[in-house]
Amino acid sequence: MSEPEGFHLSAALNGAGSHPGAPTRPFTPEEYVRLVRGAEAGLLDFVTVEDGPGRLDSGLLLALAAQVTDRIGLVPLGPTTGDPGAWATRIATLDHLSAGRAGVRPRATTSNPEHARLLKILGTPEGDAKVAELFARADEFLTEVTGAWATAAPSPQGRPPLALLAHATVPYRLAATHGDVVLVTPADTADLVTIRKEVESLREAAGRPAGALRLLADVNVVLADSQEAADARTAALEKAAGAPFTSDAAIFSGTSEGLADLLQEWFREGGADGFRLRPAVLPDDLDAIVTGLVPVLQRRGLFRTAYTARTLRGHLGLQAA
């Protein structure tokens, strides 16, 4: 295990960017590889890539990226459906291809008709029961996956890290039970403190030791050299989208220095172990993270100046599984 300096930093490489007004264009596999290589140049712990209708397969994209990168962690999406053994084998394969740099972001999911019905009844007693049932199935699924990694589908890391996105108690519990990383979406520092306390309480209730779970806060980012330029970019994106930007995660629009201020506060006062940044527009905001934000963080002693580990578990300072 190797502890990095300061906090952890990762990026979400989803579609054309997290902002609905980002210029839409299909990204080729080669373009995704360039994005991952750019993130590695910035010494990021890992990247996440999502897929779905109309998008390229995240696992295959990252398998390609594994061949031309050396250190950065590679985390595809992994809906918790199908055969857990086959699921475990796919991620173990990526871990072998990347020499121990694979993770996966499990997502509790349902069929399209079930999902549509669930959206209509969220917040009702029936909806709460359905959500509990959905995450109970995901809990069973991940238990089987972990067992498969221990026996039938071992990988270089033993167990590739599980990174779960969570917004409320039920998914927090799933992350606290099975996860190595929990991606959370606080609105401000006080909210982050509250989330951290709940997640740690659930981790303790699950019988896991302190330090077993890394809490990373998600932030959408629109970056520019000045606040005025960032505001202009945001206005142009909202005009293109036809509506103000709303998200489950916080939205930051400003300079690299300003973003560093926010991350520093959330790290030192909010209890975040790190962050997953969602570039509003790709590759623009990823480039700004690598060339603008990272040097600011390094000058402040908040982020590594070189990779000190070769596996994703090593980057995250997690014990070998």
Side-chain angles (χ1 to χ4, degrees), residues 104-303:
V104 61
R105 188 172 86 73
R107 182 171 68 189
T109 190
T110 63
S111 66
N112 288 337
E114 286 179 314
H115 182 70
R117 170 162 172 70
L118 181 59
L119 290 178
K120 294 178 180 178
I121 60 175
L122 281 177
T124 68
E126 182 184 4
D128 292 344
K130 288 292 184 182
V131 168
E133 178 185 340
L134 173 64
F135 279 87
R137 292 202 303 266
D139 177 271
E140 293 174 0
F141 186 95
L142 293 178
T143 297
E144 292 190 45
V145 165
T146 301
W149 279 331
T151 55
S155 72
Q157 294 181 96
R159 184 167 72 85
L162 299 174
L164 293 95
L165 177 64
H167 306 298
T169 297
V170 172
Y172 291 157
R173 182 176 293 111
L174 183 68
T177 301
H178 294 282
D180 301 284
V181 175
V182 55
L183 304 166
V184 299
T185 55
D188 52 33
T189 306
D191 191 24
L192 177 55
V193 170
T194 300
I195 292 170
R196 178 96 213 190
K197 288 180 179 177
E198 181 172 10
V199 170
E200 289 295 343
S201 176
L202 292 167
R203 174 200 52 75
E204 187 175 353
R208 300 181 67 196
L213 184 65
R214 301 288 176 263
L215 188 144
L216 272 61
D218 272 19
V219 184
N220 296 281
V221 296
V222 181
L223 294 173
D225 292 335
S226 68
Q227 187 62 54
E228 294 74 15
D231 291 343
R233 283 195 68 213
T234 298
L237 287 167
E238 292 186 348
K239 182 177 180 180
F245 184 22
T246 59
S247 173
D248 58 327
I251 300 167
F252 175 86
S253 176
T255 65
S256 293
E257 289 280 355
L259 179 56
D261 290 342
L262 174 66
L263 303 187
Q264 182 171 332
E265 178 181 334
W266 282 14
F267 172 56
R268 291 184 172 166
E269 300 179 26
D273 296 311
F275 305 92
R276 183 176 69 154
L277 303 181
R278 303 181 186 179
V281 178
L282 289 169
D284 307 45
D285 289 297
L286 178 63
D287 292 343
I289 290 166
V290 170
T291 63
L293 175 67
V294 166
V296 173
L297 298 176
Q298 290 170 333
R299 288 195 295 271
R300 298 186 187 189
L302 293 170
F303 192 59

Side-chain angles (χ1 to χ4, degrees), residues 89-103:
T89 299
R90 286 195 299 273
I91 303 305
T93 301
L94 179 59
D95 207 35
H96 280 285
L97 289 172
S98 63
R101 293 183 287 126

Side-chain angles (χ1 to χ4, degrees), residues 67-104:
Q67 305 308 296
V68 294
T69 55
D70 297 312
R71 296 295 186 94
I72 194 164
L74 308 170
V75 181
L77 186 67
T80 56
T81 58
D83 176 11
W87 195 95
T89 299
R90 286 195 299 273
I91 303 305
T93 301
L94 179 59
D95 207 35
H96 280 285
L97 289 172
S98 63
R101 293 183 287 126
V104 61

